[in-house]
Amino acid sequence: MNILKILQIIAVIGTILTGLYSLLRPESITGFAGLSPVGGRGITEIRSILGGLFIALGAVPLVLNSPVAYLMLGITYLAIALVRAVSMFMDKSVVQSNVISLAVEIIFGIILVIPL
């Protein structure tokens, strides 16, 4: 197994772990993502979107073991990074947690779009 494949697996596992954290500890997401769940509806949104979606996004490349699935996840991360970067300046939210998230999204995105 080459280093790029290992890095891609780390990226998908990181994606799954982000989803699991959001699914299992939605009230704790405030410090992680700056979101505050309001009532049952807010908790459900965090569990379903940040939890379920990120678990699926990470699990599908592992299950299918397809270069296209890894590519799709990489493009997703790069799209998130692009929107985050623009939003950080538009919303005046250039703060440490956003910069860290942006860096991770760019790194994961690049790692995942590089073909093996």
Side-chain angles (χ1 to χ4, degrees):
M1 186 176 300
N2 69 30
I3 189 74
L4 180 58
K5 184 64 175 179
I6 293 168
L7 292 173
Q8 288 179 338
I9 291 170
I10 290 169
V12 297
I13 289 171
T15 304
I16 294 168
L17 290 175
T18 298
L20 284 171
Y21 181 76
S22 301
L23 176 69
L24 300 173
R25 306 218 37 217
E27 298 88 356
S28 299
I29 205 72
T30 300
F32 177 68
L35 299 173
S36 297
V38 177
R41 174 76 170 107
I43 291 172
T44 297
E45 282 300 306
I46 290 172
R47 286 188 202 273
S48 61
I49 303 301
L50 292 180
L53 180 62
F54 271 71
I55 291 169
L57 284 171
V60 167
L62 287 178
V63 171
L64 296 180
N65 195 27
S66 164
V68 173
Y70 285 93
L71 176 64
M72 186 227 46
L73 181 56
I75 291 168
T76 300
Y77 269 115
L78 293 174
I80 292 169
L82 176 64
V83 172
R84 182 183 302 278
V86 170
S87 182
M88 285 168 60
F89 290 100
M90 287 178 57
D91 302 331
K92 297 175 180 54
S93 64
V94 181
V95 295
Q96 182 179 3
S97 62
N98 256 338
V99 172
I100 291 169
S101 293
L102 179 63
V104 169
E105 291 155 1
I106 292 169
I107 291 166
F108 278 9
I110 291 169
I111 287 169
L112 291 162
V113 299
I114 297 172
L116 290 176

